[in-house]
Amino acid sequence: MRYLCLIYDAESKWTTMTPAETGAFMGEYGAFTENVKASGHYIGGNPLKPTSTATTVRVRSGKISTTDGPFAETKEQLGGYYLIEAKDLNDAIQVAARIPSARIGSIEVRPIMEMPHP
Amino acid sequence: MVNDATAVEARARAQIDELYRSESRRVLATLIRLLGDFDVAEEALHDAFAAAVERWPSEGPPQHPRAWLISTGRFKAIDRFRRQARFDASFAAVADRWEAAMPGSAFDSEAIEDDRLRLIFTCCHPALAADARIALTLREVCGLQTEEIARAFLVPAPTLAQRIVRAKDKIRAAGIPYQVPEMGDLPERLDTVLHVIYLVFNEGYAASSGASLTRHDLSTEAIRLARLVVELLAEPEAIGLLALMLLHDARRDARSDADGHIVLLDDQDRTRWNRAQIAEGQLLVEQALASRRFGPYTIQAAIAAVHAEAADPGATDWSQIVGLYDVLLRIDASPVIELNRAAAIAMRDGPEAGLALINAILARGDLVDYRLAHSARADLHRRLGEHAAAIAAYERALALTRQEPERQFIEQRLHQLRTSPRCPMPPA
């Protein structure tokens, strides 16, 4: 099954970390990504730019409206994702628990709804 | 001749009823593995028993009823899906998969025993909502009806049914596997299972009023569940939890009087305690302690065992109880355990010592809204003859309590304090 692991943590933490700490954390992410590629779990994944760069788009009565900022203001923000292939939810939980941000933020694990291919 | 035939039929029916009680959960657990879906397996289970009712009276029961029920249920499900395939081709693929996925070991008695554990661990999976785990476990593992569970938990039946439906949907959609966890995950996953059992027990045990017959059944059900877990997986904490529940449940009859009023431990008629159950609990505690891998349930059971050993309240070994609470605090620190330890200290060293500890907990801001903290304080003030302080603390406890028997108990204490002369009573 495919699962999307959504990484939520406080963006503000990046402003309080020293360059050395940031480097170490990014290093952990690099190692994790290599690890899940080697284990065959990895399908894709990316970090996102901060929510200050987000634009929320809606179409109402045929008109596009855009607002600055994310869909919802929350204490932890969506900061990136991994798309993984896992045997089942237990396997996916084991992978999600190894994402470095799981220790400071939270990972939401969502199964992908498989659509029939034409 | 007609009478003979009727008698044979009645015997067969009785055998099937008995078999349903003893085997239906095992058969269901295996059908879920073979068919991969709770709802399909439940339907297959009912089809299998319907087939038994139809055929056994005339053909005679099969040599291996359990295997017969499993394979009949499986064929009925395949059959059902083949018929559906005429309208929706995707059903054919599922039926093919089931027919193909039939390992030779499917009917091994070992595999079937494991299925019951698979079912328990799946129903108690931590990815399910906490209240759904309880409902699903009672429904699927214990075989209780949705209405029975709803009544026992005092929630509307449709609410409970919804919880079960949602949980089954999540198992299916999120890919929760039908598995016994691997060794590395086992301690954590077992904790979740034991916690479900403990909550079921408490739900039945905490309710002690006359109208709570169905709720007492929950305690019995929890004990049965724990026995099953211990039988399948002899882990020390599972044994400890079973012991804890047996020891508490042994006092059930003595815990309330004929009118449903609470009788405190000190005032209980100890001849009404279930001695056989206490003996079993004590044996299990020793077994769990000897493993040296025990946890909080085992220590709580050991505390209950010390109480059970005392022929009268005065003979209670309070030093040992305080010692056990010390151990418990080290592995599972919580304000409630501190409170219980304070009550034991009060018994060992006198009410002042206990009161000082409880006041320290409250001063920290912990347990301020916990009714039992205030009733414990009230009791210690009462024993010191400090009526005004006792009344104030009982009033605080009364404002926080929601249980009818508990409310009556506190009001009775308040009445005694308000009407008794204001001279200090000697400590009990």
Side-chain angles (χ1 to χ4, degrees):
Chain A
M1 280 180 76
R2 291 187 299 160
Y3 295 86
L4 187 63
C5 301
L6 298 153
I7 302 164
Y8 287 88
D9 53 17
E11 277 172 7
S12 54
K13 75 167 189 299
W14 297 105
T15 60
T16 60
M17 280 163 88
T18 65
E21 284 170 338
T22 309
F25 204 59
M26 294 317 290
E28 278 187 52
Y29 260 103
F32 168 77
T33 307
E34 283 315 306
N35 192 295
V36 280
K37 279 182 178 166
S39 66
H41 287 103
Y42 180 88
I43 301 175
N46 280 299
L48 301 178
K49 289 184 180 178
T51 49
S52 58
T53 65
T55 306
T56 301
V57 179
R58 294 180 181 84
V59 177
R60 296 289 182 272
S61 316
K63 270 203 208 146
I64 297 177
S65 88
T66 58
T67 47
D68 175 46
F71 161 66
E73 298 287 350
T74 45
K75 264 192 242 157
E76 294 186 323
Q77 295 82 23
L78 180 63
Y81 69 90
Y82 281 96
L83 180 64
I84 61 166
E85 174 68 40
K87 198 161 70 150
D88 50 42
L89 184 64
N90 287 358
D91 191 23
I93 289 171
Q94 290 306 319
V95 173
R98 287 191 281 126
I99 298 176
S101 294
R103 297 198 313 269
I104 48 171
S106 343
I107 316 296
E108 182 175 324
V109 179
R110 293 277 291 270
I112 299 290
M113 194 190 285
E114 302 294 349
M115 303 296 279
H117 293 289
Chain B
M1 286 308 280
V2 173
N3 278 342
D4 273 4
T6 319
V8 167
E9 201 166 307
R11 243 194 337 268
R13 280 303 293 265
Q15 190 202 1
I16 293 167
D17 284 348
E18 174 53 34
L19 212 58
Y20 189 85
R21 274 190 294 276
S22 64
E23 294 289 322
S24 72
R25 297 301 109 188
R26 280 175 207 262
V27 174
L28 176 72
T30 299
L31 285 172
I32 294 172
R33 170 165 57 91
L34 298 176
L35 300 169
D37 185 275
F38 277 69
D39 289 334
V40 173
E42 258 170 72
E43 216 164 347
L45 173 74
H46 289 117
D47 286 349
F49 273 94
V53 169
E54 201 177 299
R55 287 162 52 185
W56 293 6
S58 53
E59 296 172 15
Q63 203 179 352
H64 302 291
R66 185 191 299 168
W68 188 94
L69 287 164
I70 293 168
S71 83
T72 304
R74 176 175 163 272
F75 279 120
K76 293 276 181 190
I78 292 171
D79 211 41
R80 193 186 283 270
F81 270 59
R82 289 248 181 271
R83 273 180 280 126
Q84 293 280 344
R86 276 180 292 177
F87 309 105
D88 182 342
S90 67
F91 282 92
V94 177
D96 287 346
R97 208 170 63 229
W98 288 343
E99 279 208 300
M102 192 63 183
S105 63
F107 291 110
D108 279 3
S109 59
E110 201 175 319
I112 290 173
E113 285 302 295
D114 280 354
D115 285 334
R116 296 206 287 172
L117 263 188
R118 285 188 186 98
L119 182 58
I120 293 169
F121 277 107
T122 305
C123 290
C124 296
H125 197 283
L128 300 174
D131 51 10
R133 286 176 217 157
I134 294 175
L136 201 60
T137 302
L138 289 172
R139 178 82 188 79
E140 308 299 330
V141 184
C142 304
L144 298 190
Q145 299 295 316
T146 304
E147 292 74 20
E148 290 179 280
I149 306 167
R151 251 201 323 274
F153 280 89
L154 312 175
V155 295
T159 308
L160 199 108
Q162 184 88 62
R163 269 179 212 166
I164 293 176
V165 169
R166 278 210 197 108
K168 285 182 188 167
D169 282 348
K170 177 149 187 193
I171 290 172
R172 205 176 292 133
I176 292 178
Y178 196 57
Q179 271 173 9
V180 177
E182 286 159 32
M183 270 327 257
D185 301 334
L186 193 62
E188 215 185 315
R189 294 285 308 277
L190 183 64
D191 273 355
T192 316
V193 171
L194 298 182
H195 192 60
V196 165
I197 298 175
Y198 186 64
L199 290 176
V200 170
F201 180 80
N202 270 346
E203 193 64 32
Y205 191 71
S208 57
S209 69
S212 60
L213 255 181
T214 54
R215 315 199 75 200
H216 275 167
D217 294 344
L218 284 179
S219 302
T220 310
E221 214 54 66
I223 289 172
R224 270 193 16 191
L225 256 176
R227 281 194 197 281
L228 178 62
V229 172
V230 167
E231 179 193 320
L232 297 170
L233 198 75
E235 282 292 308
E237 265 297 81
I239 296 170
L241 175 60
L242 175 58
L244 175 65
M245 297 190 300
L246 286 170
L247 289 164
H248 277 292
D249 190 67
R251 304 203 292 254
R252 182 197 284 187
D253 290 344
R255 284 175 74 232
S256 55
D257 64 18
D259 303 321
H261 296 129
I262 291 178
V263 181
L264 290 188
L265 187 57
D266 276 8
D267 306 321
Q268 287 173 13
D269 174 1
R270 298 189 176 209
T271 61
R272 290 178 69 199
W273 289 0
N274 182 336
R275 285 289 150 196
Q277 211 167 304
I278 287 173
E280 189 192 357
Q282 282 168 327
L283 210 67
L284 290 167
V285 174
E286 280 163 29
Q287 195 184 331
L289 286 173
S291 75
R292 306 208 158 272
R293 289 191 295 126
F294 53 83
Y297 291 124
T298 302
I299 298 167
Q300 290 178 70
I303 293 170
V306 175
H307 281 296
E309 275 164 21
D312 61 86
T316 309
D317 184 349
W318 288 106
S319 291
Q320 205 187 340
I321 290 179
V322 171
L324 287 165
Y325 273 121
D326 288 340
V327 179
L328 191 52
L329 268 181
R330 271 204 300 280
I331 59 173
D332 189 25
S334 85
V336 171
I337 291 167
E338 272 185 73
L339 174 68
N340 291 335
R341 179 176 172 277
I345 294 264
M347 293 308 293
R348 192 188 64 179
D349 303 337
E352 295 95 339
L355 212 43
L357 291 171
I358 298 177
N359 287 337
I361 299 169
L362 292 170
R364 272 198 331 244
D366 283 328
L367 305 183
V368 187
D369 292 325
Y370 186 56
R371 61 191 204 286
L372 297 180
H374 296 285
S375 54
R377 263 184 76 230
D379 187 53
L380 296 178
H381 279 300
R382 183 184 65 87
R383 283 199 264 158
L384 288 167
E386 297 163 359
H387 284 198
I391 289 172
Y394 273 129
E395 279 171 347
R396 181 90 182 92
L398 189 62
L400 292 167
T401 191
R402 293 217 174 88
Q403 278 178 308
E404 185 54 25
E406 214 169 84
R407 201 184 58 73
Q408 286 172 4
F409 174 82
I410 296 172
E411 284 191 333
Q412 185 200 340
R413 277 281 153 96
L414 277 169
H415 178 75
Q416 285 167 357
L417 285 165
R418 285 180 182 130
T419 52
S420 67
R422 283 185 163 269
C423 64
M425 289 191 288

